[in-house]
């Protein structure tokens, strides 16, 4: 048998090759292990969001946004932030919160003020925080006028006149123009808008007998002279149920609610208040100072100049003792001082314009549905002739309440033997109608010439 002997050098080479191959394998495994090791996680950040265009119509804004990157964290809230004062609105301002539709969302915002600049920007919130889009600025359009604080003045009884009232407001300050009215009637105040009353399109409505037991309200459409001229319709609260013919009248006078009785004249059938304006009660006799009431300068509003503090049938003190000889340029002097006048024409208004006072607006300080009587009203009560004081007291409760002197503003009553009650008419210059009562000869003069700046009593007759 033949034996082959390999050289030792060959054996050494193979061993070295084997060790080299093993090293390569180990290095490859290490490299693979290193290459398979995961990178550390990237932390989330705030999202990215853009603001969509915003449109405004009729005080309603429509807009939204788009989330372009959630910042590797779920979006928990998205919407619009807006403000009329903060140019970069945030969550601290007004916001909407909207459901996402994919990466976009929309929002609707109502109740925006007209003629106002608003700032909008989209926002999105994730676990890291809240991010905002760019600011979008919009201006709302000119708004129409508003009828605020609507109400009805007057008593809820048949034959009464009631008046729809409101406070005019316009965002741009446009001047008020005459608005429109429509009265409605309903069987109750809860079942619906009611039925429009044909022809009842004035602010004042006279309640007919057919409305007894029912409810009334008015629709008011305010108007402005410029800008958006017509506003939205506003409704007064319901008044009712309407009662039977009233025996009293409740109204506001001198900042307080007062209730006067109603007298039906046996001579004319006309309705009169049972006392002078400002009186505490109906007269119990012609010298009842609690029934004297206040003393007005002709055509002047109840601005405080007329207020009297009667302490007895012979002692009366003006509540405001201040006087001034400065005449007023308008029908509303704007103060409570009694205006004294020495020279003719003895008028408390400087231009002697009589047509805009009780002649054109005969309601004066009377409640809604009542007015200062004209001279013809007084004459009718006297049956067309002068009559007696005792007779006029018996059905009209006239008193000897005196007058206030036009020269000094002090009382002169000739020991309360005389008084005058204003009428609403005039001759357009200096003479106004009044009825004068005298205890000296028990007479009532149904036509009396008075200076406009004299302080006299006021008694009201129903329209």
């Amino acid at each position: 048998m033949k034996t082959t002997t390999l050289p030792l050098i060959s054996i050494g080479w193979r061993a070295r090759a084997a060790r080299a191959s093993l090293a390569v394998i180990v290095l490859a495994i290490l490299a693979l292990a290193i290459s398979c090791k995961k990178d550390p996680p990237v932390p989330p950040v705030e999202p990215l969001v853009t603001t969509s265009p915003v449109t405004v119509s009729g005080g309603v804004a429509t807009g939204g946004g788009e989330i372009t990157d959630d910042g590797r964290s779920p979006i928990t809230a998205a919407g619009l932030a807006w403000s009329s004062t903060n140019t970069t609105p945030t969550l601290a301002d007004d916001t909407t919160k909207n459901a996402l539709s994919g990466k976009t969302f929309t929002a609707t915002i109502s109740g925006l003020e007209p003629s106002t600049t608003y700032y909008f920007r989209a926002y999105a919130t994730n676990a890291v925080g809240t991010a905002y889009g760019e600011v979008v600025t919009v201006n709302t359009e000119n708004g129409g006028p508003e009828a605020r604080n609507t109400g009805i003045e007057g008593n809820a009884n048949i034959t009464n006149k009631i008046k729809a009232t409101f406070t005019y407001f316009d965002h741009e300050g446009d001047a008020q123009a005459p608005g429109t009215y429509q009265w409605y009637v309903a069987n109750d105040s809860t079942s619906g808008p009611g039925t429009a009353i044909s022809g009842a399109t004035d602010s004042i409505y006279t309640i007919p007998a057919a409305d007894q037991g029912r409810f009334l309200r008015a629709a008011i459409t305010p108007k402005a002279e410029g800008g958006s001229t017509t506003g939205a319709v506003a409704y007064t609260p319901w008044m009712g149920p309407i009662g039977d013919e009233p025996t009293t009248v409740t109204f506001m006078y001198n900042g307080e609610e007062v209730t006067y009785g109603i007298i039906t004249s046996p001579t004319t059938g006309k309705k009169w208040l049972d006392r002078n304006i400002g009186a505490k009660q109906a007269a119990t006799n012609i010298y009842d100072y609690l029934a004297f009431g206040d003393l007005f300068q002709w055509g002047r509003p109840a601005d405080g100049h007329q207020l009297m503090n009667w302490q007895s049938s012979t002692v009366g003190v003006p509540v405001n003792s201040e006087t001034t000889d400065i005449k007023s340029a308008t029908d509303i002097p704007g103060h409570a001082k009694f205006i004294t006048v020495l020279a003719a024409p003895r008028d408390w208004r400087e231009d002697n314009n009589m047509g805009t006072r009780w002649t054109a607006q005969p309601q004066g300080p009377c409640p809604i549905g009542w007015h200062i009587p004209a001279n013809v009203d007084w004459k009718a009560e006297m049956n067309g002739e002068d009559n007696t004081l005792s007779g006029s007291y018996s059905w009209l409760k006239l008193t000897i309440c005196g007058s206030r002197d036009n020269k000094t503003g002090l009382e002169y009553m000739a020991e309360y033997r005389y008084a005058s009650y204003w009428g609403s008419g005039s001759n357009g210059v200096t003479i106004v109608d009044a009825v004068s009562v005298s205890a000296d000869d028990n007479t009532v003069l149904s036509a009396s010439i008075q200076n406009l700046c004299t302080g006299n009593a006021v008694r009201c007759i129903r329209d």
Side-chain angles (χ1 to χ4, degrees):
M1 179 179 192
K2 187 178 179 178
T3 303
T4 303
T5 302
L6 296 173
L8 290 176
I9 188 169
S10 175
I11 294 173
W13 175 85
R14 291 180 184 275
R16 286 195 297 274
R19 286 196 296 272
S21 297
L22 180 60
V24 170
I25 292 171
V26 170
L27 290 173
I29 292 172
L30 289 174
L32 180 62
I34 292 172
S35 67
C36 290
K37 186 178 180 181
K38 291 184 178 179
D39 293 331
V42 179
V45 295
E46 290 182 352
L48 296 177
V49 59
T50 61
T51 307
S52 302
V54 178
T55 60
V56 176
S57 178
V60 178
T62 303
E66 181 180 1
I67 299 169
T68 58
D69 190 330
D70 64 6
R72 295 181 295 280
S73 176
I75 301 298
T76 57
L80 281 180
W82 84 94
S83 173
S84 62
T85 56
N86 185 2
T87 59
T88 54
T90 67
L91 295 181
D93 297 298
D94 291 317
T95 61
T96 66
K97 187 174 181 179
N98 299 89
L100 289 174
S101 176
K103 293 184 178 181
T104 63
F105 60 89
T106 58
T108 300
I109 303 163
S110 59
L112 301 182
E113 297 290 337
S115 296
T116 303
T117 300
Y118 283 92
Y119 307 94
F120 299 86
R121 63 174 176 168
Y123 73 90
T125 303
N126 63 11
V128 178
T130 299
Y132 297 93
E134 62 276 17
V135 175
V136 174
T137 303
V138 285
N139 296 306
T140 54
E141 66 272 18
N142 183 297
E146 298 178 15
R148 298 182 175 182
N149 305 317
T150 61
I152 300 177
E153 291 182 356
N155 291 82
N157 297 93
I158 61 172
T159 74
N160 265 351
K161 287 189 176 182
I162 54 177
K163 182 178 182 180
T165 62
F166 69 98
T167 301
Y168 174 83
F169 176 80
D170 187 83
H171 290 272
E172 297 76 33
D174 293 323
Q176 183 177 0
T180 60
Y181 301 85
Q182 176 61 62
W183 287 90
Y184 290 82
V185 64
N187 292 327
D188 58 63
S189 60
T190 60
S191 61
T195 302
I197 302 172
S198 177
T201 56
D202 190 81
S203 62
I204 296 176
Y205 176 67
T206 302
I207 307 175
D211 288 347
Q212 185 173 341
R214 306 180 79 186
F215 291 77
L216 296 167
R217 72 171 177 176
I220 303 169
T221 303
K223 292 189 176 182
E225 291 183 353
S228 294
T229 57
T230 302
V233 176
Y235 291 87
T236 67
W238 287 102
M239 169 184 273
I242 303 303
D244 200 352
E245 186 159 3
T247 58
T248 61
V249 175
T250 299
F251 62 103
M252 296 299 297
Y253 176 70
N254 193 35
E256 297 181 357
E257 186 175 82
V258 296
T259 299
Y260 291 1
I262 297 175
I263 295 173
T264 301
S265 167
T267 303
T268 65
K270 296 288 185 67
K271 305 290 185 180
W272 293 74
L273 293 184
D274 69 348
R275 69 198 73 179
N276 301 341
I277 293 294
K280 298 183 181 301
Q281 65 184 33
T284 57
N285 59 70
I286 62 173
Y287 299 110
D288 182 357
Y289 66 92
L290 295 179
F292 284 176
D294 296 327
L295 301 178
F296 290 77
Q297 294 185 299
W298 188 84
R300 189 169 170 182
D303 53 16
H305 79 284
Q306 80 285 359
L307 298 176
M308 294 294 300
N309 180 14
W310 296 102
Q311 301 172 9
S312 71
S313 60
T314 58
V315 179
V317 179
V319 172
N320 183 4
S321 60
E322 288 188 86
T323 63
T324 179
D325 59 1
I326 301 175
K327 295 184 177 184
S328 175
T330 68
D331 289 349
I332 302 176
H335 59 76
K337 300 176 184 178
F338 194 89
I339 300 174
T340 59
V341 183
L342 297 178
R346 293 184 176 89
D347 186 1
W348 55 269
R349 178 164 169 158
E350 64 182 18
D351 61 1
N352 199 221
N353 184 346
M354 302 175 69
T356 59
R357 286 180 270 180
W358 286 345
T359 302
Q361 302 171 349
Q363 179 184 330
C366 300
I368 295 296
W370 298 72
H371 63 273
I372 309 294
N375 189 251
V376 293
D377 296 313
W378 288 115
K379 285 184 176 180
E381 294 298 337
M382 308 309 158
N383 200 23
E385 302 291 339
D386 293 350
N387 212 312
T388 64
L389 172 60
S390 57
S392 65
Y393 165 76
S394 68
W395 68 82
L396 293 184
K397 304 299 181 184
L398 299 187
T399 59
I400 301 295
C401 56
S403 295
R404 194 170 176 185
D405 181 31
N406 64 276
K407 297 180 180 179
T408 64
L410 302 176
E411 299 323 303
Y412 78 87
M413 260 65 72
E415 296 183 356
Y416 296 90
R417 306 300 298 172
Y418 163 87
S420 286
Y421 290 77
W422 283 127
S424 61
S426 74
N427 69 353
V429 183
T430 58
I431 301 173
V432 294
D433 291 336
V435 59
S436 296
V437 296
S438 172
D440 287 334
D441 52 9
N442 191 30
T443 60
V444 177
L445 300 176
S446 59
S448 175
I449 297 173
Q450 297 285 314
N451 293 316
L452 282 71
C453 49
T454 301
N456 287 332
V458 167
R459 180 68 66 89
C460 302
I461 187 172
R462 195 165 73 178
D463 296 351

